[in-house]
Amino acid sequence: MTRLSVPAFAARPVLAVAVVFGAVLTALSGRYGYHRDELYFLVAAHHLGWGYIDQPPLTPLIARVSTTLFGDTVMGLRVLSTLSAVVTVIVVALIAREFGSHRRGQVLAAVCAAVSGYVLGVGHMVSTSTYDLLAWMLIGLFAVKLLRTGDGRWWLALGATVGIALENKYLVVLPVGALLIALLVVGPRGVLRSWWLLAGVALAGLIALPNGLWQFQHDWPQLKVAGGISEDDGTENRIMFIPLQILQLSPFLVPIWIAGFLRIWRHLPWARSIALAYPVLCIAVLATGGKSYYALPLLLVLVAAGCEPLIGWGDRHRVRAVVGLVLTALTSALFTLPLLPASAADLVIPVNKEQGEQIGWPAFVSTVAAAWAKVPPSERSTATLFAGNYGEAGAVVRYGASYGLPQVYSPHMSFADWARPPDSNTGPVLLIELDRTPRFETYFRNCTQVGKIDSIVSNDEDGTALVLCDGPTEPWSTLWPKVRQFY
């Protein structure tokens, strides 16, 4: 096979893998319940705009489309997320094909993607990472095509994908930046000397412009959010970076992505920048204190490259290969999908806390309603329900009407912009606080805890304090900027 040719696409078996993968996600999509982020997206979907404090507009828009087309339920919300993950599996197989993998190598690449913990996890829920992963895989596919063929027109496909990805999550600048650095270091630098590159950059900028203007008009709030994440979690993120790179994709896939890196470096010199981009990206994430999953998508590109050379090993050690893939599928599914009864989720939450964030929200709101009932009826017209973060606020928006709860207010992320308590709300304030801290209670009079969330699992909401205060110490219009939270 020459560099300009690729094997035929193994469409039927790859699509079969993708269909089975999608069927598993669909069958389990209604278990447990909404994730805290999904509750936020549902509210954001009814405040559509060109940007939000903590993210661009695409994921809330997709949530709105999915619930409109497929129903305002947990399963309805997740349909397009499932489809995105299905397409991701197919794209990984296409990347393997670009690296010269034949039928079995492409199928193995699809299987590896389908059984990896990260793809299963982000495919199960709606998150910015769900659609970000698909964008990264498409960028990887188009980048490999660009390097394999030397055809500068692939810069247009890259530019369009990057532009759309920037309307979903800004992290896409990381792999693109890592790839450009790697191209400068190991080449082929010729692809950089092209007007098509400038056209691709212009196209990306044009597509991303609306959200860029929104960020500019709102004083770049995303920088405040990113700074808060790095300040709060940076040290822990750096310590856990390598272990989580292994665990979140799957320990069983480590030999495959190592084989992929070595194969590219030794035998595919035209693609060395793809291999080098991964360690460059890791250095950037470590330097900024970012989360480990920021670099995971590029590992899938290396997995795609590593499948073909392992076919021969698999033929010689068929039992080991099958057992390894089965164990990968079982462990990944156990830790990322709602397979266990909700009451038993504590067994996997230490490894994947997102499991716990899908459990207990109706009960959470029921407990809030019981605390709200302690507000004297004569004072409820001027009372305020105050949630400390967007997950709590989103849960009350979703389930509060069933319990007769009033509108909830939160100073967290874009909730702070969507609604502020009127100054006429001078009466009692029920605070929903993960932990009792002066951060909020300083601004209210005579605060007393009147309830506590007792979750059936050890999630972030377990132990949340419900604190009833006599009222705000100053008008809400003055107080609101002081309690606002960007992370």
Side-chain angles (χ1 to χ4, degrees), residues 13-27 82 86 89 114 120:
V14 168
L15 290 176
V17 172
V19 168
V20 172
F21 172 77
V24 171
L25 289 183
T26 300
T82 297
V86 167
V89 169
L120 282 169

Side-chain angles (χ1 to χ4, degrees), residues 95 99 139-148 158 175 178-180 182-183 186-188 260-261 264-265 268-281 298-302 305:
I95 294 173
F99 284 126
I139 288 169
L141 175 63
F142 298 144
V144 176
K145 283 180 173 291
L146 170 68
L147 298 178
R148 182 180 61 79
L158 280 164
L179 177 60
L180 290 175
L183 279 170
V186 297
F261 183 94
I264 292 173
W265 200 259
L268 303 173
W270 56 269
R272 281 178 180 167
S273 56
I274 298 292
L276 183 60
Y278 174 67
V280 170
L281 178 58
L298 284 191
L299 275 184
L300 281 173
V301 177
L302 298 181

Side-chain angles (χ1 to χ4, degrees), residues 292-343:
S292 63
Y293 73 83
Y294 291 178
L296 275 179
L298 284 191
L299 275 184
L300 281 173
V301 177
L302 298 181
V303 166
C307 288
E308 184 71 12
L310 287 182
I311 292 295
W313 181 91
D315 288 338
R316 296 190 302 273
H317 307 277
R318 186 160 298 178
V319 174
R320 292 185 188 179
V322 171
V323 170
L325 286 175
V326 169
L327 286 175
T328 300
L330 291 177
T331 54
S332 294
L334 179 65
F335 286 105
T336 61
L337 299 179
L339 294 177
L340 297 174
S343 58

Side-chain angles (χ1 to χ4, degrees), residues 8-361:
F9 179 46
R12 288 186 179 180
V14 168
L15 290 176
V17 172
V19 168
V20 172
F21 172 77
V24 171
L25 289 183
T26 300
L28 296 171
S29 64
R31 282 179 56 81
Y32 291 0
Y34 295 105
H35 186 274
R36 61 159 53 244
D37 290 350
E38 292 176 320
L39 293 167
Y40 180 48
F41 296 142
L42 286 171
V43 181
H46 292 280
H47 295 84
L48 294 178
W50 282 114
Y52 301 90
I53 294 301
D54 54 331
Q55 64 186 326
L58 188 57
T59 296
L61 174 61
I62 293 174
R64 178 72 172 268
V65 171
S66 194
T67 52
T68 299
L69 293 177
F70 304 106
D72 193 7
T73 63
V74 178
M75 291 187 71
L77 172 65
R78 293 174 173 174
V79 170
L80 294 184
S81 175
T82 297
L83 290 176
S84 177
V86 167
V87 175
T88 295
V89 169
I90 296 171
V91 174
V92 172
L94 288 170
I95 294 173
R97 174 176 177 253
E98 290 296 317
F99 284 126
S101 293
H102 293 80
R103 179 184 180 90
R104 295 169 66 196
Q106 295 172 35
V107 173
L108 178 58
V111 170
C112 288
V115 301
S116 68
Y118 186 62
V119 179
L120 282 169
V122 301
H124 169 63
M125 303 181 305
V126 174
S127 69
T128 55
S129 296
T130 305
Y131 309 110
D132 198 46
L133 174 60
L134 175 57
W136 282 44
M137 291 301 96
L138 288 171
I139 288 169
L141 175 63
F142 298 144
V144 176
K145 283 180 173 291
L146 170 68
L147 298 178
R148 182 180 61 79
T149 65
D151 188 343
R153 288 173 293 184
W154 286 110
W155 281 118
L156 290 178
L158 280 164
T161 306
V162 170
I164 295 171
L166 284 170
E167 292 288 4
N168 176 67
K169 197 168 186 174
Y170 305 120
L171 286 178
V172 71
V173 300
L174 292 178
V176 174
L179 177 60
L180 290 175
I181 291 172
L183 279 170
L184 289 172
V185 174
V186 297
R189 300 180 187 87
V191 298
L192 299 174
R193 295 189 291 269
S194 169
W195 288 104
W196 289 112
L197 170 57
L198 298 179
V201 171
L203 182 58
L206 183 64
I207 296 173
L209 182 61
N211 179 250
L213 289 175
W214 188 94
Q215 284 285 326
F216 172 76
Q217 292 167 353
H218 292 78
D219 196 26
W220 305 101
Q222 183 65 42
L223 296 178
K224 299 177 183 178
V225 174
I229 292 173
S230 179
E231 181 179 342
D232 275 9
D233 302 326
T235 300
E236 180 181 351
N237 289 342
R238 293 183 180 97
I239 293 172
M240 294 301 297
F241 182 83
I242 293 177
L244 289 178
Q245 286 286 288
I246 295 172
L247 291 173
Q248 289 176 334
L249 197 64
S250 174
F252 297 102
L253 297 181
V254 171
I256 300 179
W257 60 257
I258 291 177
F261 183 94
L262 294 175
R263 179 189 178 205
I264 292 173
W265 200 259
R266 294 173 178 174
H267 305 295
L268 303 173
W270 56 269
R272 281 178 180 167
S273 56
I274 298 292
L276 183 60
Y278 174 67
V280 170
L281 178 58
C282 290
I283 292 171
V285 174
L286 284 167
T288 58
K291 298 180 180 180
S292 63
Y293 73 83
Y294 291 178
L296 275 179
L298 284 191
L299 275 184
L300 281 173
V301 177
L302 298 181
V303 166
C307 288
E308 184 71 12
L310 287 182
I311 292 295
W313 181 91
D315 288 338
R316 296 190 302 273
H317 307 277
R318 186 160 298 178
V319 174
R320 292 185 188 179
V322 171
V323 170
L325 286 175
V326 169
L327 286 175
T328 300
L330 291 177
T331 54
S332 294
L334 179 65
F335 286 105
T336 61
L337 299 179
L339 294 177
L340 297 174
S343 58
D346 273 339
L347 294 173
V348 298
I349 286 175
V351 175
N352 179 20
K353 65 173 290 187
E354 308 309 330
Q355 293 273 53
E357 295 307 309
Q358 303 170 66
I359 296 171
W361 289 111

Side-chain angles (χ1 to χ4, degrees), residues 372-396:
W372 179 257
K374 297 181 181 180
V375 176
S378 60
E379 299 180 29
R380 289 178 190 170
S381 62
T382 60
T384 302
L385 181 55
F386 181 105
N389 67 55
Y390 64 60
E392 300 162 350
V396 174

